Structure formats: C-alpha cells, structure tokens
Amino acid sequence: MHTNSNPLEIVALVGAPNTGKTTLYNWLTNSKFKTVNYPGATVEYAIGAAAERLKADYLFMDTPGTYSLFPKSSDEEVTLRALYEHHRHQKVKKVICVVDGSQLERNLMLAEQIHAAGFSMVLVVTMSDLLRKNGMKLDVAALKNKFNSPVVLFDGVLGEGLMKIVDELKLLKVEEKDPKHLKTWSAEKIQQQSEILRDLAAQAYGHVDAAKIYDPTARIDRWLLHRFLGLLFFFLIMSTLFSSIFWLAKPFMDMIDKGFTWTASEILLLMPNSLFSEFLAHGLVASLGAVSVFAPQIFILFFGIGILESSGYLARAATLIDRPFSKVGLSGRSFVPILSGFACAVPAMMATRNISSKRDRWITNFIIPLMTCSARLPVYALLLSFLFKDQPAWKPGVILALLYMGSLGIGAVVAAMLNKILAKSEISMFMMELPLYRFPRWRVLLQQSFARSKGYLFRAGPFIFVFAVIIWAGTTFPNYSEENGAVKMETSYLGRIGHAVEPAFEPMGVDWRVGVGLLSAFAAREVFVSSMAIVFNVTSDDEETQSQGLLSSMQKAQMPNGRLLFTVASVSGLILFFMIALQCMSTFSVAVREMGSWKFAMVQLVSFNVVAYILAIALVQGLRVIGVA
Amino acid sequence: MSSSPTSLLDLSTNSLGSAGETRARITGFAGEVSIVERLQEMGMHHGMIVQCLGRTPFKGPLLYRMGATVVALRNGEAQCILIQTL
C-alpha cells in the first residue's frame, strides 16, 4: 500500500565543514528542528520544516560537513546515505550546496560532484558580509554558467539572501531520473578538475585576493596557538569554562532550591498529616527538587561548549591537543567528542563519527563514559558539599576541578592500555582545517542550550518520578503510622529488602540505604541524589532549605553498629565508584548503535562496573587501614 | 634533507610566532593513498602556493596557510605533499 505521510518536498543542505551550512539551516527552519545536535558537528541529519515566513512547502535536511561525495569517515557516510537513501521521506532531488565565499577554490569541488551526480542544485555562497567588508565582488555569472545552476549570495549574520534562495528553489527544474552514485575519481581526474575550478575561482574573484579575509584570524592565532602562550590560553579558557559551572550557576541554584523548599512546606501546611501530602512533599517535590537544582549548571556547560564551537576555537583546541593525545594512540579529532563527554556521553559518542580512523573511534568511544558527565555533577556536588560542610566554597570547587581532571587522567590510562592491546592496523589522520574566528549568534546559542538543558530534565524526569514513588512507598509502608522515623524505615518493605542486599555494599563502607540509592542510579545517575533526598530527608526542619536539611540528616546518619555512615572514607569510596561506574542505560544503547556491536557495549558495561566496585572497596578499606575513618 | 623534490615537511620547522615566512608551490603528492586523497579533497592541488606558519606546542601539528584558510597537518601528512620552495 502506498502511504504518503509526508508530501513535503525535501531539500538537502550539503557543504564542507565550516562553510556556514548549519547557520543557513537555522535561518531556513527558524532553528526549530528535532534531532540531537551537539556542539562540534551535525550529528545525524537534522530535518526541519521551512520557517513560516518563508511561505515554502519544503522540509530542509542538514547533513554533516563533507569534503566530497566519496566518504572517508562515518560522518560523511551519513551525508551520503542522507542524499541517496531515505525511508520516511521523499527522494532528495534538490540540493542546496553551501560554499564559503572566501574558499571557492577549495569548496567548489563538492559542488562539481553534486552537479555531476545529477542533483538539481542551488549554489549558496556564504560569508557575503565578509566579502563585502573586504571590498570584494564575486563574478556570480561565471559560477552560474559553469554549474548551470542558480547562485545566491548569503549573509549568515543578517540573513540577507534567504528569500532569494527559496525563490530559486521554487524555480528549480527537477530531472525525471534519479541522481546517480558517482564512481570514485582518479587522481588524474581530481587534478584536472581542481585546475578547472582554480581558474573558475580566480575568474569569480577578479583581481582581488580572497586570502586577506583570513588575516585577522591569523593575527589572533599568533597568540592563541603560540608555542607557550597558546597553552596558557588553552588552560585559561578551559578552566574558565569549568569553573563558571560553579560560580556562575550558584545564585540560580539557590533560587531553585528555595522554590522547591517553599513548595514542599506549603503542601504540608495546606494538607497537614495526610499520607498524600507527605508523598507530595517528601517524595515527589523533594526528588524533583534535588535534581532540578542542577539545571543551571548543565545550561552553562552546554552554553560554554557552544561558544567555543561557534567561535571557531574548538578546532584550535583539537590542534593543540593532537600531540598529547597521540601519545595514547588518539588524535586531536577525539578532543571534541571527549569534551562533549563532560556534558553527556550520548551526543559525545555520536560525535566520534567525525573520526576517520576506526581504531581511534573505538578507543574514544570506550573512554567517553569515564568523563565527568552532567549527570554525575549532582552526585559529586552532594557528596562534596557533605565532605566540606561549613567550609569555604573554594575547597569543594578545587576538589571538583580535580575530579574533572582525574576523569581525563583515568581516560588517558585506559586509552593507553587499549593502545597497547589493540592491533595497530590503520593510519591515524588528523588534518584539521582552522576556520575563521566568528562571533557566535547568541540568540541561536541560547535557544539551543536551553533546549538541551530541558532535554536533560525531561530525560531524567520519568526515572526520577518512578523511583520517587517506589522509594517513598518502599520506605513508608507498612508501618506508616509509626512516629519514630528510624523504626519506620527499618521495618519498611524497602528496609527489609535492603538488609538482604546489604552485604554487597558493606565492604564499600555504606549501608542498605545508600545501596538502594546506588541501585536506583542505574536508571540514571542523578536518581541517586533524589533517592538520598527521600531516604534521608524524613525529618526536615522547616527552617532550612531542602539541601541543607539533607546534608544535616546525612551527617547524623548511623550504621547499624552505631558508627557514622557518611565518613571521609565512605564518601571518597562513593565518589570513586561514580567516577568509573557505567550507570546509564542511554549510554549503553548508544554504544550498541554507534559501534554496531553488543559485545563492545557489554564489555564496557561489565568491566567499568566491576572495576568501579573493586576500586571503591579498595579505597575505603585502604583509608581505614591508614586511620581515615 | 637534500632529497629533491622536497616535501612540505622540509619547508619550515620554526615554531609559531617566530619571524620569517617560508612559501612554496605544491608540485605533487606522494605516499599513503588515503591521506593524499583527503588532502586533495580538502582543496590542496598542484600549483597552489603554501606558506608555513610554524609548529604548534608539544611538537604538535604544523600550520599551513593556503589561500583564505589554515590547515593543521601532522608530520606524516605534510610529508605527502611535494613542493618547490619559492
């Protein structure tokens, strides 16, 4: 049966990396599109309907940057697949080929291939603002004649030329027969083509030297890539990014914390002494609050990485880091995925498609879950604010910075080990183009960071809700009328189950309550915090906020034998466990998909968790031996 | 080092930010096929003028300016590009 669920004509945007393709895409779709699109590259292909004001019935498809139609990395394979295969949409016949106006000599090769394959093409020349600023006028007619296609100049800052692109798309004639797959070009063919295209570019530019557009960028790079200062700047930029996660987020976090505390106390005031209000306040609101508090930090992380990406600095950072990374068998191309891993392992693993060497990609994907992702942040923040309660704020800040660096260190050790074990088969390539420095488009950046933070909350939301119900009910029944909180907990259903599994957690220096938290963290790491909030927040003093209340009840919590539950030793053990353990089902499923291998994902899941468990026990017992309780 | 034709790797070993510019013309490619293909697709071709900007820290990749762009290449990649100094 023929189903035509999507009658809209589809237009693919294709272009080399850094040509401003995604900027054009954002203009065309008003930045409203569905896909995981992470800083650093276009992951998957994004599809979005034309913005309303364009009055056009098109679906636009953004594809990962590609230099040619002969793919060298999985990223480029995605582009090729997007062009030739599509299951849910119509066949791609119209293509917007995006070329950078200052890079015609190099970018036109892709246009030539798209033309040769038989796609109907609108050639969009970006950076027209820069061309104008440098007094350059392109001979558009020369390009038009060569490709027998309309050519439109586009200014990504103001959006000038947008309507013209849509008008040309509407006028574009489509061939009856489908575009064909190109056979790989021989070296001679490439050489011959590049000479033709070089002459064409020269004709288009006239007598002006396009190279001068790069001069301001080259001047900045003399500092940012300087032999000594370059490293200093790299360190400053990265430490500003990670420290702002704390100082910048603090006021917003306090606000959210107070909001949830107020809500919980209002609920209890409105409906005193009812099981339902008890559940709402101490179960649901407490667990949602415990996790929502961290939304500002996650927003800042996404926003910061977004600034680095859209300004052009990430390519420099990757270049600076190439040599150190090559020591453990990786290349600078692994830098962006690993940096993204500090936000979330899911987009980070998808970002590895940009790495052309399969071996590099394998190792990178293996170590990504070790990076301090945003879901670990709430856990560390809770445990550290406990360790450093009533101490100056810089202390937990410093330790946290060390944890971030430590995760990179652990990743390096694992990568080095894999580098020794795995057979060396192929050549690792770097070859990075350093794009022009540009000012980020703040509105788009804010919008995207906001959408991603919202995604974080909504992803974890259902788990938090489900575990809030389970853990609250489990710790409340059957003795819900018992006045003594501790007795109620001990005799509860969850308490009884907890005691059964307690021996497994006992060597880590924790009791069944933390064990329940650790188990619930396998749904999503941040659920650990909300579980702790329910288990320990039973007697919250209305004078303090939720987070203070949780900390003071953690401080008082005791093991069955009377010794304190949360000590330097047990908390350190927990932190080490969280650093290594792979407690994230989304990461697991993405690993299966990206590596196309259950084996890879299973090895990762089992080895990380077993190692985490053993090391945590070793640390706790070791600390006790040397006298740290 | 006196082998001719020389590769882009021989163009300069100055570190970035030091004085002096070295320019050359690309005369051909040699070596690993996949690297050569990729270099050509990135737009490097016979007759193109290349300028070496120097090396990044830690003896990292070399930076080459060609037209309105800069490309960072590892030693092995730069070696695949044959040049004639200007």
Side-chain angles (χ1 to χ4, degrees):
Chain A
M1 205 174 75
H2 180 74
T3 51
N4 197 359
S5 58
N6 220 332
L8 294 181
E9 194 174 355
I10 192 151
V11 178
L13 278 81
V14 182
N18 309 314
T19 45
K21 184 171 49 64
T22 299
T23 306
L24 172 61
Y25 179 75
N26 285 336
W27 277 104
L28 286 168
T29 59
N30 215 358
S31 319
K32 285 196 187 106
F33 49 87
K34 291 177 284 179
T35 44
V36 209
N37 193 343
Y38 92 108
T42 313
V43 166
E44 300 271 19
Y45 43 86
I47 290 202
E52 238 168 77
R53 64 195 174 89
L54 296 179
K55 298 198 171 41
D57 292 331
Y58 291 122
L59 278 179
F60 291 105
M61 173 165 79
D62 194 12
T63 58
T66 183
Y67 286 108
S68 79
L69 292 187
F70 313 122
K72 297 277 184 303
S73 69
S74 324
D75 227 4
E76 297 180 342
E77 276 160 23
V78 170
T79 299
L80 208 66
R81 273 206 306 273
L83 278 177
Y84 288 101
E85 302 162 21
H86 11 77
H87 311 290
R88 268 171 296 157
H89 302 279
Q90 296 194 342
K91 281 211 151 116
V92 174
K93 293 207 163 174
K94 289 183 179 177
V95 168
I96 295 179
C97 178
V98 184
V99 297
D100 177 341
S102 64
Q103 313 280 339
L104 288 184
E105 191 174 343
R106 298 186 315 112
N107 286 170
L108 286 177
M109 188 70 89
L110 182 62
E112 174 62 30
Q113 292 173 359
I114 291 168
H115 179 64
F119 289 101
S120 303
M121 166 174 87
V122 174
L123 189 66
V124 172
V125 181
T126 56
M127 316 280 169
S128 74
D129 50 321
L130 282 178
L131 295 176
R132 202 176 326 131
K133 213 162 79 190
N134 287 274
M136 295 164 64
K137 252 185 89 98
L138 276 192
D139 180 2
V140 173
L143 299 177
K144 257 183 203 158
N145 291 337
K146 163 76 178 148
F147 298 110
N148 194 21
S149 304
V151 178
V152 184
L153 290 173
F154 179 68
D155 170 353
V157 181
L158 300 173
E160 219 174 79
L162 195 62
M163 277 322 290
K164 181 102 191 291
I165 295 174
V166 176
D167 291 342
E168 294 290 1
L169 274 178
K170 287 177 183 163
L171 294 173
L172 211 57
K173 284 198 183 62
V174 176
E175 296 278 333
E176 262 309 301
K177 61 174 197 261
D178 289 343
K180 59 176 190 285
H181 281 270
L182 287 184
K183 284 209 190 73
T184 313
W185 288 2
S186 66
E188 292 77 36
K189 169 106 176 166
I190 293 175
Q191 177 62 31
Q192 177 201 348
Q193 279 298 332
S194 58
E195 271 164 33
I196 296 171
L197 294 174
R198 180 182 54 194
D199 293 345
L200 176 66
Q203 194 189 343
Y205 285 132
H207 296 292
V208 194
D209 181 14
K212 70 180 179 187
I213 284 182
Y214 203 86
D215 287 348
T217 296
R219 274 196 291 276
I220 299 172
D221 272 342
R222 251 178 243 165
W223 294 95
L224 289 187
L225 291 178
H226 185 272
R227 190 180 186 174
F228 305 115
L229 296 177
L231 291 179
L232 187 71
F233 281 118
F234 176 79
F235 192 72
L236 277 179
I237 289 169
M238 289 302 149
S239 46
T240 307
L241 171 66
F242 286 109
S243 66
S244 64
I245 295 173
F246 303 96
W247 57 263
L248 203 58
K250 190 86 177 73
F252 300 100
M253 295 173 70
D254 289 345
M255 245 161 52
I256 295 174
D257 191 16
K258 286 201 181 98
F260 277 97
T261 309
W262 179 85
T263 313
S265 60
E266 283 299 300
I267 290 172
L268 289 176
L269 277 179
L270 283 170
M271 300 182 284
N273 297 326
S274 94
L275 258 185
F276 183 61
S277 62
E278 172 89 357
F279 165 68
L280 283 183
H282 288 152
L284 199 55
V285 175
S287 41
L288 287 179
V291 176
S292 310
V293 154
F294 300 99
Q297 296 191 318
I298 285 145
F299 177 84
I300 290 169
L301 187 69
F302 283 129
F303 191 66
I305 295 180
I307 292 177
L308 292 185
E309 196 275 323
S310 54
S311 65
Y313 185 71
L314 275 191
R316 273 81 186 175
T319 306
L320 285 173
I321 218 79
D322 180 58
R323 181 74 180 184
F325 269 28
S326 72
K327 298 275 180 212
V328 292
L330 296 174
S331 83
R333 291 207 168 258
S334 298
F335 176 73
V336 173
I338 286 173
L339 181 71
S340 307
F342 283 97
C344 178
V346 172
M349 282 186 159
M350 294 195 232
T352 60
R353 292 177 193 171
N354 199 264
I355 304 170
S356 48
S357 152
K358 285 208 169 59
R359 186 177 187 268
D360 284 14
R361 193 174 170 217
W362 202 97
I363 299 180
T364 309
N365 267 329
F366 198 80
I367 64 170
I368 277 174
L370 291 168
M371 301 305 128
T372 307
C373 70
S374 51
R376 283 182 173 102
L377 199 56
V379 179
Y380 291 164
L382 174 72
L383 294 174
L384 288 178
S385 52
F386 174 81
L387 275 187
F388 295 93
K389 197 167 183 277
D390 306 321
Q391 290 189 47
W394 63 266
K395 283 192 184 174
V398 167
I399 301 294
L400 211 104
L402 287 177
L403 290 182
Y404 270 93
M405 281 189 264
S407 70
L408 205 55
I410 295 174
V413 170
V414 176
M417 288 188 326
L418 290 171
N419 188 35
K420 285 259 185 298
I421 301 166
L422 296 176
K424 286 188 177 51
S425 53
E426 44 188 326
I427 313 145
S428 166
M429 281 197 259
F430 179 59
M431 269 187 246
M432 182 70 94
E433 202 181 311
L434 305 184
L436 291 171
Y437 284 115
R438 309 233 55 186
F439 278 104
R441 290 183 58 219
W442 299 108
R443 195 181 59 86
V444 174
L445 208 55
L446 278 171
Q447 235 172 17
Q448 288 180 348
S449 316
F450 191 74
R452 285 183 196 122
S453 319
K454 210 170 78 183
Y456 154 81
L457 284 179
F458 280 69
R459 185 184 65 83
F463 294 120
I464 295 169
F465 178 80
V466 168
F467 278 87
V469 175
I470 294 175
I471 291 176
W472 178 82
T475 52
T476 305
F477 297 107
N479 287 332
Y480 59 89
S481 51
E482 171 65 50
E483 289 289 322
N484 184 330
V487 173
K488 179 163 104 181
M489 180 80 78
E490 288 295 317
T491 55
S492 66
Y493 290 127
L494 203 63
R496 289 178 217 171
I497 299 169
H499 283 297
V501 294
E502 197 164 46
F505 297 104
E506 212 267 316
M508 281 174 73
V510 295
D511 69 352
W512 67 270
R513 289 173 292 183
V514 179
V516 165
L518 286 176
L519 290 177
S520 67
F522 276 89
R525 291 183 180 93
E526 53 271 51
V527 173
F528 178 75
V529 175
S530 58
S531 302
M532 291 295 98
I534 301 177
V535 177
F536 289 103
N537 216 6
V538 276
T539 49
S540 142
D541 186 338
D542 284 357
E543 288 300 304
E544 36 188 21
T545 63
Q546 281 188 4
S547 33
Q548 285 169 333
L550 175 56
L551 287 180
S552 44
S553 31
M554 279 170 67
Q555 212 159 24
K556 284 177 242 155
Q558 290 180 343
M559 299 278 280
N561 58 13
R563 65 202 266 190
L564 284 175
L565 170 56
F566 292 100
T567 61
V568 173
S570 69
V571 172
S572 306
L574 283 175
I575 291 176
L576 185 62
F577 182 81
F578 272 99
M579 280 182 88
I580 297 167
L582 207 171
Q583 300 153 288
C584 177
M585 289 307 116
S586 323
T587 303
F588 178 77
S589 57
V590 137
V592 174
R593 201 186 68 195
E594 286 300 311
M595 301 307 293
S597 157
W598 279 91
K599 203 177 131 201
F600 174 90
M602 285 306 293
V603 167
Q604 201 175 33
L605 184 74
V606 173
S607 62
F608 280 28
N609 288 320
V610 169
V611 169
Y613 180 64
I614 293 173
L615 286 183
I617 292 174
L619 179 67
V620 173
Q621 301 303 332
L623 283 174
R624 285 188 177 163
V625 166
I626 60 167
V628 182
Chain B
M1 287 294 237
S2 59
S3 64
S4 78
T6 45
S7 84
L8 203 51
L9 186 59
D10 307 319
L11 192 55
S12 169
T13 44
N14 292 341
S15 60
L16 202 63
S18 61
E21 289 185 353
T22 6
R23 283 150 56 87
R25 188 188 301 277
I26 297 179
T27 56
F29 300 89
E32 188 57 40
V33 181
S34 57
I35 295 182
V36 170
E37 261 178 38
R38 174 43 29 116
L39 288 168
Q40 287 182 319
E41 280 167 4
M42 280 176 88
M44 275 156 248
H45 53 73
H46 196 107
M48 198 174 210
I49 307 283
V50 182
Q51 176 192 347
C52 182
L53 301 179
R55 199 181 274 287
T56 48
F58 300 128
K59 294 187 179 154
L62 290 147
L63 302 182
Y64 296 99
R65 178 153 175 186
M66 31 200 94
T69 197
V70 166
V71 177
L73 299 178
R74 284 181 169 178
N75 286 358
E77 293 156 4
Q79 215 157 17
C80 293
I81 304 174
L82 306 178
I83 53 148
Q84 184 182 39
T85 45
L86 294 177

